[in-house]
Amino acid sequence: MISKPKGTLDFLPDDAFKRQHIEKRLREIASLFNYKEIRTPTFEKTELFKRGIGEETDIVSKEMYSFHDSEFTLKPEMTAPVIRSYIENSLYNVAPVTKLYYISNMYRHERPQAGRYREFSQFGAEVIGSNEYIADVELISLGVFFLKSFGLNDLKIKINNIGNLEERAEYIKDLKDYLLKYSVDLSEDSKRRLEKNPLRILDSKNPNDIKILENAPVINEYLGNENKQHFENVLNGLKSLGIDYVTDYKLVRGLDYYTSTTFEIVSDSLGAQNAVLGGGRYDKLIEQLDGKPTPAIGFACGIERLTLVLEASTYEFPEEQSPQLYIVTSGDEARKKAVEISYRLRENGIYCELDLLNRSVKSQMKEANKYKAKYVAVIGEDEIKTNEVKIKRMNDGSESGIKLDEITNYNFN
Ligand code: AMP
C-alpha cells in the first residue's frame, strides 16, 4: 500500500468541514477589517526566498523544497510571494496602503512532530505602505480578534521591537561579544549560529544556553528614539483595545526580513511547537526585492495549529448540515423516479439524498436516520401508480401528502 508522504495530512470530511468553518470565519473577519484576498502560485523562483527570507535562516538553509532540475521552490511562506506580486503588479499605484490576506498551503522540509508538518497552511495578513504605529495595532488586533472569536481568551501575546538594521547590527555585535565569552559552554547548535546568525541563539530551548542568555545584552537598550517611541505607541494602542500582552526582548523570530515590531501568539495547549501566530514589520523587504522603499507589517497563523488549540479548548465546532429529505425507494420504477425527483429538488436548492445501492427499505430508513434527514419520503409501486407520496417529518412523525410531480413545491424547512 502506498501511504501519504511523511509530515503531510489528509483532511477527511469531518476535518475538512472544520477547516471550512475556520476559513469562512477568517474571510468574514478579514472583510470586517477591509483586507482583500491575494492568491499567488504554489511555487516561485528560488531566488525570491533566498533574497527575501535570508540565506542563513533555517527555512532557506535547510527546509526548502527546491526542484533539483529547475530554479523553482515550493513556497515555504507567503510574505516574499505577496511582496513579489505587489511589486510586479504595481499595487502601490492602486492605493497608498494595501491591505491583503491569504489562506494558502506552505512547504517546509522540517522534522515532523505534533503541530509541525511539511505541508501546512497559513492564514496571513499584510499591511503594505504605512509605517504608522496604528498599522501595527490594527494588524495585531486583527489576529487577536480572529482568535478571540473562537473564545480563545487565554492565549499569550508576546511582543518586541528588534530595531532597524543599524540598531540591530550594533546589538548583534555586542551580543556576539558577550556570547563568545561563553562559547565553550554553548550548545552545538548555538555554537554554529554564533558565526552565522547569533540572533537565533535567543530562540534556543537548551537550558544551559538559556542560563547564559540571562545576562546577555537586550535589544531594547539599543533602540533609537524613533523605534522606542514606535514600540511605546504600539503597546499603548494595544492596551487601549484591551489586548493584554507581555514584552519579550528575546523575541527575534526566524526570518531575516523583520525590523522594528515583532510579535507572536502562543498557546499552552500546544506542546513544544506552541506558536499559533507570528509576525512583524519588514520595512526593508520591498527594496530588498527591488521595489521602492515601502514599510510593511504582517503575520501568519498556522491553521493546523489553530485547529489543535481549538480541539483542546471548549470550542464547539458546528455540525454539518443534514439532508432536508431522504428518498427511500422500493422497485425499479420508484428508483428511476427518485433519481429524476432528486435532481429537480436539487435544482430547487433542496438538499436531498437517496440510496445508490438498491438496498432494502429497512436499511435505507437506517441510513436516513444516520444522516439525520429532516424528512423522509418512501416511493414504491403504489406511489408511482397514484402519483402521490407521503412526506414524513422525522422529529415528530407527522405526515402530509403531495403529488410526486409537485414535490419541488413542498416546504422542507
Ligand atoms: P512562520 O512563518 O515560521 O513565522 O510561522 C508562522 C506560523 O505558521 C507559526 O506560528 C505556526 O502556527 C505555523 N507554522 C510554521 N511552521 C509550521 C509547520 N512546519 N507546521 C505547521 N505549522 C507551522
Side-chain angles (χ1 to χ4, degrees), residues 94-105:
V94 180
V97 176
T98 308
K99 304 205 295 184
L100 300 169
Y101 80 91
Y102 57 83
I103 299 175
S104 186
N105 284 8

Side-chain angles (χ1 to χ4, degrees), residues 77 79 102 122-126 136 139-140 157-162 251-255 257-265 275-282 296-302:
E77 62 96 58
T79 300
Y102 57 83
Q122 289 183 332
F123 155 62
E126 320 279 352
D136 304 42
L139 179 93
I140 297 172
I157 302 163
K158 299 198 289 187
I159 184 159
N160 191 17
N161 187 307
I162 58 169
L251 182 69
V252 290
R253 313 226 349 102
L255 295 79
Y257 55 60
Y258 286 117
T259 49
S260 181
T261 310
T262 53
F263 57 96
E264 211 164 77
I265 302 185
V276 188
L277 180 153
R281 263 199 175 276
Y282 48 91
I297 180 165
F299 71 70
C301 170

Side-chain angles (χ1 to χ4, degrees), residues 16 29-30 43 87-88 94 128 200 215-217 241 244 274 277 291-292 296 310 322 326 346 395 401 408-409:
I29 293 175
F43 56 94
I87 300 169
E88 191 168 345
V94 180
I128 309 162
R200 290 302 314 279
N215 295 316
L241 300 183
D244 292 329
N274 66 353
L277 180 153
K292 277 192 296 208
L310 292 179
S322 42
Y326 189 102
R346 289 163 180 159
N395 65 355
T408 50
N409 294 332

Side-chain angles (χ1 to χ4, degrees), residues 17 57 63 85 94 130 144 161 188 191 199 217 236 238 261 291 298 319 340 344 350 359-360 388 406:
F17 184 69
T57 57
E63 294 169 1
S85 178
V94 180
S130 170
V144 173
N161 187 307
E188 288 310 309
K191 269 186 203 143
L199 269 190
N236 285 332
L238 293 177
T261 310
E319 274 193 31
E340 187 195 310
R344 275 202 285 127
I350 311 275
R359 281 173 291 184
S360 69
E388 275 262 338
E406 290 169 12

Side-chain angles (χ1 to χ4, degrees), residues 325-329 338 341-342 345 352-355 364 376-377 379:
L325 175 68
Y326 189 102
I327 308 171
V328 173
T329 54
I341 288 175
S342 62
L345 285 165
C352 62
E353 176 62 311
L354 75 168
D355 174 49
Q364 291 179 58
V376 169
I379 307 180

Side-chain angles (χ1 to χ4, degrees), residues 108 110 115-117 120 122 253 255 275-278 300 302 305:
R108 293 184 197 172
E110 302 204 74
R116 188 155 84 186
Y117 312 101
F120 60 99
Q122 289 183 332
R253 313 226 349 102
L255 295 79
V276 188
L277 180 153
R305 280 201 206 160

